[in-house]
């Protein structure tokens, strides 16, 4: 690149910088996940999720990237379950870094979108503890859905929300956001929110029919609020 003509470098400098930052953030996420995360058999057993998801309450329906790990394991049977899991996190890490950049550019401008990606790595790294298939992907699905709502691309929003349902059921929390974005146009609001809810609960019903679970939801709302407000030292330590 240093030996390339100035005209070439000037033309592609910004793109090369964006790709370099994106690649650095992606690699950082994976390295931090590998070194800071671990498999917890009693809470979120990776092997059991891949071999018998119906035996794991609630988590057994968060299967989007479990299926990818299963496919990797089927292609390479000698691969450990841990490594199959880590490989399954490559696509969501790439998608999350890319989408956070797109989302950040809406507010900070193209020249500063890299700052959002770097902050994403720093914030996400503080949450790494036990391995999950869905946490990194949640960043992608939530930021993508918000981006599509902002751009008024409602059909794509419904499609991404439906895909996100297979990752984690709390993607349904974006339906009230869609309502607030569209309620001035009643017909549009009914179409967007109704389609999103139909897709979400339809997929949830199919999952329950194929893979029955005793509990589909764990109400952690109050406990999730309890820790940061009652024990702020835990949040500060994270």
């Amino acid at each position: 690149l240093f030996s390339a003509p100035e005209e070439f470098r000037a033309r592609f400098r910004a793109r090369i910088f964006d790709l370099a930052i994106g690649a650095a953030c992606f690699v950082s996420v994976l390295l931090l996940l590998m070194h800071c995360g671990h498999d917890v058999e009693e809470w979120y057993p990776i092997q059991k999720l891949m071999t018998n998801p119906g035996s794991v309450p609630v988590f057994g329906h968060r299967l989007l990237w479990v299926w990818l790990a299963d496919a990797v394991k089927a292609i390479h049977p000698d691969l450990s379950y841990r490594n199959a899991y880590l490989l399954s996190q490559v696509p969501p890490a790439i998608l999350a870094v890319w989408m956070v950049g797109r989302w950040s550019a809406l507010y900070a401008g193209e020249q500063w979108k890299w700052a959002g990606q770097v902050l994403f790595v720093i914030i996400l790294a503080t949450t790494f503890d036990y391995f999950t298939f869905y946490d990194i992907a949640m960043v992608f699905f939530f930021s993508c859905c918000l981006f599509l709502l902002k751009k008024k691309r409602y059909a794509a929003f419904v499609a991404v929300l439906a895909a996100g349902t297979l990752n984690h059921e709390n993607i349904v929390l974006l339906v009230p956001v869609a309502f607030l974005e569209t309620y001035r146009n009643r017909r549009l609001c009914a179409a967007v929110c109704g389609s999103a809810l139909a897709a979400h609960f339809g997929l949830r019903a199919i999952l329950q029919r194929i893979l029955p679970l005793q509990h589909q939801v764990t109400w952690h709302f109050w406990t999730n609020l309890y820790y940061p407000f009652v024990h702020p030292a835990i949040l500060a330590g994270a």
Side-chain angles (χ1 to χ4, degrees):
L1 289 174
F2 281 116
S3 63
E6 174 59 28
E7 181 181 353
F8 176 87
R9 286 187 285 135
R11 182 179 179 183
F12 292 102
R13 183 180 288 116
R15 183 171 298 179
I16 292 170
F17 178 80
D18 288 344
L19 288 173
I21 290 291
C25 290
F26 158 69
V27 171
S28 298
V29 167
L30 286 187
L31 288 175
L32 287 163
L33 178 65
M34 291 169 62
H35 291 286
C36 300
H38 60 285
D39 190 7
V40 180
E41 285 292 329
E42 65 274 14
W43 177 247
Y44 191 90
I46 295 296
Q47 182 173 344
K48 189 179 289 187
L49 270 166
M50 292 177 60
T51 56
N52 187 17
S55 65
V56 185
V58 183
F59 302 126
H61 280 177
R62 302 170 187 173
L63 292 172
L64 184 61
W65 305 105
V66 176
W67 289 331
L68 179 58
D70 288 338
V72 171
K73 183 72 173 171
I75 294 170
H76 197 319
D78 293 334
L79 200 67
S80 68
Y81 287 98
R82 181 182 188 276
N83 287 337
Y85 160 77
L86 291 172
L87 286 173
S88 77
Q89 295 304 291
V90 170
I94 293 173
L95 290 170
V97 170
W98 169 69
M99 199 64 239
V100 167
R102 296 289 304 276
W103 178 246
S104 301
L106 285 179
Y107 298 95
E110 285 290 331
Q111 71 275 22
W112 289 105
K113 69 179 183 181
W114 63 269
Q117 293 172 320
V118 171
L119 287 172
F120 155 68
V121 175
I122 295 170
I123 294 169
L124 192 68
T126 65
T127 70
F128 285 152
D129 185 7
Y130 60 91
F131 289 150
T132 72
F133 280 97
Y134 51 81
D135 277 335
I136 295 175
M138 282 172 63
V139 178
F140 163 69
F141 282 114
F142 271 78
S143 56
C144 187
C145 283
L146 291 171
F147 178 85
L148 293 170
L149 281 176
K150 185 71 174 178
K151 290 290 188 178
K152 302 186 186 305
R153 296 169 59 183
Y154 300 118
F157 164 78
V158 172
V160 173
L161 186 140
T165 298
L166 299 174
N167 180 68
H168 197 296
E169 64 277 2
N170 71 0
I171 195 74
V172 75
L173 294 174
L174 288 176
V175 175
V177 179
F179 171 82
L180 293 174
E181 281 288 307
T182 59
Y183 74 92
R184 292 180 182 86
N185 185 331
R186 293 182 179 179
R187 185 172 297 180
L188 176 64
C189 182
V192 173
C193 297
S195 299
L197 288 172
H200 176 80
F201 288 109
L203 283 169
R204 297 281 289 161
I206 292 171
L207 285 171
Q208 180 65 11
R209 183 64 180 266
I210 296 172
L211 196 68
L213 294 180
Q214 186 176 1
H215 301 290
Q216 293 190 58
V217 178
T218 300
W219 299 103
H220 281 310
F221 178 76
W222 294 112
T223 56
N224 287 342
L225 288 176
Y226 172 83
Y227 285 110
F229 288 105
V230 179
H231 295 292
I234 295 176
L235 186 62

